[in-house]
């Protein structure tokens, strides 16, 4: 726990001094706010929450994934991880530190998304919880990518196409049956489904997200066994 | 404190360590000398559990927690300040942040405490890496070429610090190219060439065995003789 706390605060200080990462956290909510206030609210044809839910779902799929993968890959590339391991930091403590911070920021961003939207109290709660759950899934996928990557460049080269597939599939699914079937098993599609229609039961989407989460945990364990955190 | 028995390490077809046996006693400064590619860093990597040997056994009388490490690649958090870097490890070890300041003072970096690592010179980064290695007062300290690329004054400061650590009870295992440094610092040394230990013992005794004592012990002459470095240089020049 002590080590996780140390890594958590190290990550916090690091992100505060890293504009590129800050942009990833700020870009989507700011865009959502601007588009909602300037476009959606001034148009009768566009639903008030359309841009908000679109950017929120994109954020949950991308922000935590890219940030976690980048942070772990950077620590691997610069050999900082080796010194942490030598200091007795266990892999799960390291991941709890990095992932815990990313999850906290993602949760704050999710609340911000919720507050600028036009929701009832029940919808707001459902919206925030599904975004946080989706962010957690993204963090685990990002951790697997980060461990598997030799350096930050490789992490970016893997995360970007993964994110593209995860975010594009739900969009293409509206026009293509095969894409619809594939999207049906992706957690990003489930986030989209819940935030776009609160009348839909969240049980099935949550179960699918949970299945994704389990797959990513297994993927992480396999990546860890293959690459380890020491290298 | 450190024991390696008949260690063998291969990378693919290439054998990089062959039958390496050495022993380091408690409170000793032990130097591992050898040309580039001789296998010095591989030995440190095996002793610090980064690599597993393909043969032989090794034993260390300290847990990873009681071990300090300084490598060529410093692994510092570049966007964090010197003080913040040390505090990450102080928090992991569960020691006060005052110890971070003390370690910074020990390596002469107290005035740069708030400076980001990305703004430090190579020498300052090396000193910060050493401060991190000694922060928790480890039982064993592994130093991979601790003064390479440093100016003589800074190097001398680090020498004093290493000797001070030995005085306070630490065992130091260092690698170096610098023969003068080895004579000055090390209680015992081992010469490594092409993955084999070709000589080991007290520097002065090694020099005597090879008739290489001039007005000062000339360990460099032994090094050249045992590793064939002068012949290689002549070949390259020719």
């Amino acid at each position: 726990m002590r080590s996780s706390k140390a890594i958590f605060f190290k990550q916090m200080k690091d992100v505060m001094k890293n504009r590129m990462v800050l942009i990833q956290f700020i870009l989507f909510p700011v865009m959502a706010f601007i588009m909602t206030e300037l476009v959606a609210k001034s148009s009768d044809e566009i639903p008030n929450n359309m841009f908000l839910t679109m950017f929120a779902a994109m954020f949950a799929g991308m922000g935590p994934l890219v940030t976690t993968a980048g942070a772990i890959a950077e620590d691997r590339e610069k050999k900082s991880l080796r010194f942490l391991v030598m200091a007795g930091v266990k892999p799960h403590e390291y991941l709890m530190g990095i992932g815990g911070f990313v999850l906290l920021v993602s949760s704050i961003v999710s609340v911000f998304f919720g507050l600028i939207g036009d929701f009832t109290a029940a919808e707001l709660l459902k919206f925030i919880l599904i975004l946080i759950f989706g962010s957690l899934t993204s963090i685990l996928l990002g951790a697997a990518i980060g461990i598997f990557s030799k350096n930050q460049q490789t992490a970016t080269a893997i995360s970007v196409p993964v994110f593209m597939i995860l975010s594009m599939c739900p969009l293409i699914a509206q026009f293509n049956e095969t894409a619809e079937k594939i999207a049906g098993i992706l957690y990003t599609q489930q986030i989209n489904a819940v935030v776009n229609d609160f009348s839909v039961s969240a049980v099935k989407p949550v179960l699918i997200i949970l299945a994704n989460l389990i797959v990513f945990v297994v993927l992480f364990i396999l990546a860890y066994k293959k690459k380890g955190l020491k290298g | 404190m450190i024991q390696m028995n008949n260690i063998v390490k291969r990378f693919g077809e290439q054998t990089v360590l062959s039958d390496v046996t050495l022993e380091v006693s408690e409170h000793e400064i032990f130097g591992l000398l050898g040309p580039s590619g001789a296998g010095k860093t591989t030995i440190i990597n095996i002793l610090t559990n980064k690599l597993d040997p393909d043969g032989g056994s090794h034993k260390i009388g300290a847990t990873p927690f009681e071990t300090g490490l300084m490598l060529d690649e410093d692994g510092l958090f570049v966007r964090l300040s010197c003080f913040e870097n040390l505090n990450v490890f102080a928090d992991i070890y569960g020691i006060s942040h005052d110890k971070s300041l003390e370690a910074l003072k020990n390596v002469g970096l107290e005035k740069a405490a708030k400076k980001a690592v990305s703004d430090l010179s190579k020498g300052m980064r090396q000193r910060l890496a050493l401060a991190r290695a000694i922060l928790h007062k480890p039982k064993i300290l592994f130093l991979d070429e601790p003064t390479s690329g440093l100016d003589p004054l800074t190097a001398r400061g680090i020498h004093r610090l290493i000797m001070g650590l030995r005085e306070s009870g630490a065992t130091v295992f260092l690698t170096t190219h610098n023969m003068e440094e080895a004579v000055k610092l090390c209680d015992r040394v081992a010469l490594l060439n092409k993955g084999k230990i070709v000589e080991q013992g007290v520097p002065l005794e090694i020099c005597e065995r090879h008739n290489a004592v001039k007005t000062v012990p000339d360990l460099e002459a032994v090094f050249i003789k045992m590793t064939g470095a002068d012949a290689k240089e002549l070949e390259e020049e020719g």
Side-chain angles (χ1 to χ4, degrees):
Chain A
M1 195 61 197
R2 196 170 64 201
S3 297
S4 297
K5 198 174 147 196
I7 309 287
F8 180 96
F9 284 110
K10 163 251 163 193
Q11 196 57 23
M12 186 176 84
K13 285 171 192 161
D14 193 79
V15 166
M16 293 302 167
K17 293 171 185 175
N18 191 346
R19 278 186 217 138
M20 295 310 288
V21 175
L22 279 177
I23 286 170
Q24 282 168 28
F25 283 122
I26 294 168
L27 182 71
F28 290 104
V30 167
M31 285 298 290
F33 180 73
I34 292 170
M35 296 298 278
T36 302
E37 292 300 316
L38 296 184
V39 182
K41 285 188 178 172
S42 60
S43 165
D44 295 333
E45 289 164 17
I46 301 172
N48 272 2
N49 288 338
M50 193 188 93
F51 290 112
L52 174 80
T53 53
M54 187 176 83
F55 282 114
M58 282 173 79
F59 169 77
M62 181 187 175
L65 185 152
V66 175
T67 313
T68 310
I72 295 177
E74 184 180 13
D75 281 352
R76 264 176 68 87
E77 182 182 2
K78 300 205 166 130
K79 308 293 177 204
S80 310
L81 205 47
R82 183 171 179 201
F83 289 92
L84 293 174
V85 172
M86 279 298 293
V89 177
K90 303 276 181 295
H92 69 272
E93 293 173 329
Y94 174 75
L95 287 168
M96 273 169 64
I98 300 277
F101 174 72
V102 177
L103 187 65
L104 175 73
V105 178
S106 302
S107 303
I108 293 168
V109 173
S110 300
V111 171
F112 178 78
F113 270 121
L115 294 177
I116 58 172
D118 195 4
F119 300 120
T120 63
E123 286 171 351
L124 182 65
L125 186 68
K126 201 172 176 183
F127 176 83
I128 290 171
L129 287 178
I130 202 80
L131 281 189
I132 292 173
F133 195 35
S135 298
L136 178 65
T137 313
S138 283
I139 287 168
L140 287 164
L141 179 59
I145 292 172
I147 284 184
F148 201 77
S149 309
K150 220 177 201 173
N151 50 41
Q152 274 178 289
Q153 213 178 346
T154 318
T156 310
I158 300 172
S159 328
V160 171
V162 166
F163 161 69
M164 292 296 278
I165 293 165
L166 288 171
S167 59
M168 292 307 284
C169 231
L171 292 176
I172 301 168
Q174 295 170 22
F175 314 104
N176 182 291
E177 255 184 58
T178 316
E180 195 182 350
K181 281 180 190 162
I182 297 170
I185 58 165
L186 297 179
Y187 73 100
T188 42
Q189 167 69 5
Q190 307 314 314
I191 299 170
N192 265 322
V194 175
V195 299
N196 282 314
D197 186 359
F198 289 108
S199 62
V200 171
S201 162
V203 176
K204 193 182 161 199
V206 165
L207 287 175
I208 295 175
I209 296 176
L210 191 65
N212 273 241
L213 193 140
I214 292 166
V215 169
F216 298 150
V217 168
V218 172
L219 198 66
F220 166 74
I221 292 168
L222 291 176
Y224 176 73
K225 277 189 178 166
K226 190 158 187 212
K227 296 277 178 180
L229 280 181
K230 286 188 195 175
Chain B
M1 188 56 112
I2 299 172
Q3 250 187 333
M4 289 186 100
N5 297 315
N6 309 107
I7 290 287
V8 176
K9 181 67 193 170
R10 295 183 200 93
F11 291 124
E13 296 289 296
Q14 198 191 357
T15 302
V16 289
L17 292 179
S18 172
D19 220 16
V20 171
T21 297
L22 55 86
E23 197 175 331
V24 181
S25 309
E26 220 169 327
H27 314 314
E28 185 174 49
I29 300 179
F30 186 89
L32 189 59
L33 319 180
S36 299
K40 303 187 294 291
T41 305
T42 306
I43 288 182
I44 287 196
N45 284 340
I46 288 173
L47 289 172
T48 53
N49 292 325
K50 193 199 174 191
L51 288 175
D52 292 322
D54 295 310
S57 62
H58 64 99
K59 207 167 75 180
I60 293 184
T63 61
F65 193 79
E66 296 167 326
T67 307
L69 181 65
M70 179 193 175
L71 297 173
D72 186 29
E73 288 173 295
D74 55 43
L76 296 164
F77 304 114
V78 289
R79 284 179 287 275
L80 267 55
S81 71
C82 299
F83 188 50
E84 286 169 338
N85 259 276
L86 296 191
N87 286 344
V88 171
F89 287 86
D91 290 341
I92 290 169
Y93 295 131
I95 57 178
S96 138
H97 289 188
D98 291 345
K99 298 282 176 195
S100 303
L101 275 181
E102 195 184 310
L104 284 174
K105 268 183 201 162
N106 280 336
V107 297
L109 279 179
E110 69 270 32
K111 282 181 185 162
K114 288 183 181 169
K115 248 188 175 181
V117 168
S118 53
D119 295 333
L120 300 181
S121 67
K122 192 196 172 194
M124 288 167 97
R125 282 180 75 138
Q126 252 171 298
R127 281 190 278 158
L128 180 60
L130 184 61
R132 181 188 54 198
I134 61 171
L135 178 68
H136 57 306
K137 308 244 182 305
K139 269 186 175 176
I140 302 179
L141 199 57
F142 291 100
L143 307 173
D144 195 5
E145 299 182 18
T147 57
S148 77
L150 293 184
D151 63 87
L153 199 68
T154 311
R156 214 175 299 161
I158 287 186
H159 289 166
R160 271 201 297 269
L161 189 64
I162 292 171
M163 287 191 278
L165 289 166
R166 191 256 312 269
E167 295 307 313
S168 61
T171 303
V172 182
F173 185 101
L174 63 87
T175 69
T176 181
H177 281 117
N178 187 334
M179 301 301 133
E180 213 178 299
E181 179 174 83
V183 171
K184 191 175 164 190
L185 278 182
C186 300
D187 301 307
R188 287 190 317 117
V189 297
L191 304 191
L192 189 71
N193 189 36
K194 293 175 185 164
K196 285 181 183 170
I197 300 277
V198 290
E199 182 62 275
Q200 64 177 309
V202 176
L204 184 62
E205 289 171 10
I206 293 177
C207 294
E208 280 170 355
R209 274 205 294 278
H210 293 272
N211 298 317
V213 182
K214 296 176 184 171
T215 45
V216 287
D218 192 357
L219 194 59
E220 192 160 2
V222 182
F223 174 77
I224 289 168
K225 184 182 164 190
M226 300 306 293
T227 63
D230 59 341
K232 275 181 226 158
E233 274 169 22
L234 282 172
E235 269 173 36
E236 279 165 17
E237 280 171 17

